[in-house]
Amino acid sequence: MARKKKKGNNFKLLTLFLFLGTCLGDYGIGVGIGDGGAWVGGGGKQQTNAAYSALQSWKTAITEDPSGVLKTWVGEDVCSYKGIFCSGSSVTAIDLNKANLKGTIVKDLSLLSDLTILHLNSNRFSGPIPDSFRALESLQELDLSNNRFSGSFPQATIYIPNLIYLDLRFNSFTGSVPENLFNKQLDAILLNNNQFTGEIPRNLGYSSASVINLANNKLSGEIPTSFGISGSRLKEVLLLNNQLTGCIPESVGVFSEIEVFDVSFNSLMGHVPDTISCLSEIEVLNFAHNKFSGDLPDLVCSLRNLINLTVAFNFFSGFSSECSRVSAGFDFTGNCIPGVGYQRPRPDCSVIAGGALSCLRIPAQPLTCAAILGLKVTPSP
């Protein structure tokens, strides 16, 4: 009789815990019954164990730790580890910026399903980025800058669904920049100071990013004609120190919010398009060390927010008095402007590189900006 009573009590307890499990199902409550009676357990332990496993696996792949960060990575309480930040029992952020760690990235980090921020700026991590990173569905910010990563562009980053900030600066990535990168809803695309080659993808101008930095790579070919077509919210475009050729697309004038445009140290040719004068918010324009020729458009120097205009070491033959009024700097040295000091020797100006290049020309303001921006032109009285 006593055994039957025990089973009856267990049944009542199990019924109660099943009810609790229904109410608290989102918290991973588990229930069961056995010879020792009824029991209840939480699912948070599984998440903690996964994080512990992932971080311990990564710890073994780090070979140098001069600051002693990993000395705190002991025990199952991963939320007490230096550089690890949690919400409840879930790891939601890793910030190891400037920790000077040396090692590689392990695929096990993809087990951190709630991770939203991964900042590894200024370390000595090397090797490729694991393809398993595409499983980091909660990740929003990925900063791998100033390390020694190598290999082709980490395709896994394109498939991280909630990623909005991608920083791969100052590494040794090679190969081409994938076209589908610019289809992704990112706020910032920072790829400068790598070894990317090939042409800039044709859909560059359709990116949702406010900052695109492709500087100091080995990119070649022309600036895509899509540049500006979408009416992007770009604030900064940095294409300096590559191997770009051809003209600046007239559609650049669509970037009505752009503040910095730097294409210096390339091999761009032809004239500077009048549509530059549509960039009402522009503050910094840098065309230095290219092969531009002709007169610098008067309207460019009249832009109300322009504080720095650099056209040094091109083949410009003239500019208007407006250009000398640029408040914080107008550098026109090393051109072909008659009667002005610090210009190229006359023999260098006799045959202008790319002088025969024909670039598309759109008439000057107000027709230029009205046509490009889709505004209604009001005829002058």
Side-chain angles (χ1 to χ4, degrees):
M1 288 295 293
R3 184 171 182 82
K4 288 184 179 180
K5 186 176 181 180
K6 185 178 179 181
K7 285 187 177 179
N9 289 339
N10 284 346
F11 180 77
K12 290 178 181 179
L13 285 171
L14 180 56
T15 303
L16 175 61
F17 289 140
L18 284 173
F19 173 75
L20 290 173
T22 302
C23 298
L24 302 174
D26 290 341
Y27 295 91
I29 297 295
V31 295
I33 188 168
D35 290 339
W39 55 266
V40 59
K45 184 77 172 176
Q46 290 182 333
Q47 291 183 337
T48 302
N49 287 342
Y52 174 77
S53 175
L55 294 173
Q56 290 300 314
S57 175
W58 190 19
K59 182 179 179 180
T60 63
I62 297 175
T63 56
E64 292 185 17
D65 175 25
S67 301
V69 172
L70 301 184
K71 291 180 180 178
T72 68
W73 288 27
V74 178
E76 293 190 7
D77 182 13
V78 296
C79 299
S80 67
Y81 293 4
K82 186 174 182 179
I84 307 301
F85 301 88
C86 296
S87 176
S89 61
S90 298
V91 175
T92 55
I94 297 176
D95 187 348
L96 293 172
N97 285 350
K98 300 181 180 179
N100 198 22
L101 298 170
K102 181 180 180 181
T104 58
I105 303 297
V106 297
K107 64 180 181 180
D108 304 72
L109 289 180
S110 61
L111 297 173
L112 303 175
S113 58
D114 294 319
L115 191 67
T116 60
I117 295 174
L118 179 56
H119 288 177
L120 302 179
N121 182 302
S122 302
N123 284 281
R124 291 176 289 153
F125 289 113
S126 60
I129 306 305
D131 193 57
S132 62
F133 265 39
R134 66 179 65 203
L136 294 172
E137 295 184 353
S138 300
L139 193 64
Q140 297 179 19
E141 296 184 16
L142 180 60
D143 183 354
L144 304 178
S145 62
N146 198 21
N147 278 282
R148 301 173 182 176
F149 292 114
S150 59
S152 58
F153 181 92
Q155 289 281 347
T157 60
I158 295 174
Y159 299 100
I160 301 174
N162 292 299
L163 192 67
I164 58 175
Y165 180 88
L166 178 62
D167 191 346
L168 303 180
R169 296 174 295 166
F170 294 94
N171 281 289
S172 298
F173 291 113
T174 58
S176 60
V177 176
E179 182 174 336
N180 49 359
L181 174 65
F182 298 104
N183 294 330
K184 191 170 178 59
Q185 297 298 306
L186 292 167
D187 288 340
I189 300 174
L190 309 176
L191 308 183
N192 52 294
N193 295 83
N194 279 280
Q195 298 178 34
F196 290 118
T197 57
E199 295 189 356
I200 297 174
R202 300 292 91 189
N203 63 337
L204 170 71
Y206 296 97
S207 173
S208 65
S210 59
V211 178
I212 294 180
N213 193 340
L214 304 179
N216 303 316
N217 280 286
K218 299 178 181 179
L219 299 169
S220 58
E222 299 182 358
I223 298 174
T225 55
S226 69
F227 193 60
I229 293 298
S230 65
S232 171
R233 60 188 184 89
L234 266 172
K235 298 286 187 183
E236 296 184 19
V237 180
L238 303 172
L239 305 178
L240 62 146
N241 198 24
N242 279 286
Q243 300 167 10
L244 302 177
T245 57
C247 309
I248 294 178
E250 293 279 345
S251 55
V252 67
V254 175
F255 286 129
S256 57
E257 297 183 20
I258 199 168
E259 297 172 357
V260 178
F261 182 50
D262 191 337
V263 293
S264 59
F265 291 92
N266 281 287
S267 296
L268 298 168
M269 301 178 181
H271 65 276
V272 171
D274 289 352
T275 54
I276 293 287
S277 62
C278 301
L279 305 181
S280 58
E281 302 299 320
I282 196 75
E283 297 177 2
V284 177
L285 271 174
N286 194 340
F287 301 127
H289 293 271
N290 278 284
K291 299 176 182 179
F292 293 117
S293 58
D295 290 340
L296 190 64
D298 295 353
L299 293 168
V300 170
C301 296
S302 301
L303 288 163
R304 66 175 185 268
N305 290 311
L306 189 62
I307 59 175
N308 190 286
L309 174 63
T310 305
V311 298
F313 297 97
N314 281 283
F315 293 88
F316 287 112
S317 55
F319 61 87
S320 75
S321 59
E322 286 292 326
C323 294
S324 60
R325 300 176 188 174
V326 178
S327 60
F330 172 45
D331 186 356
F332 55 88
T333 56
N335 279 280
C336 299
I337 303 171
V340 177
Y342 303 104
Q343 300 297 292
R344 291 180 181 274
R346 184 168 294 182
D348 290 356
C349 297
S350 60
V351 178
I352 298 174
L357 182 65
S358 177
C359 299
L360 174 66
R361 301 211 74 154
I362 296 177
Q365 286 184 319
L367 180 58
T368 298
C369 299
I372 289 182
L373 299 176
L375 302 177
K376 183 182 291 185
V377 178
T378 302
S380 302

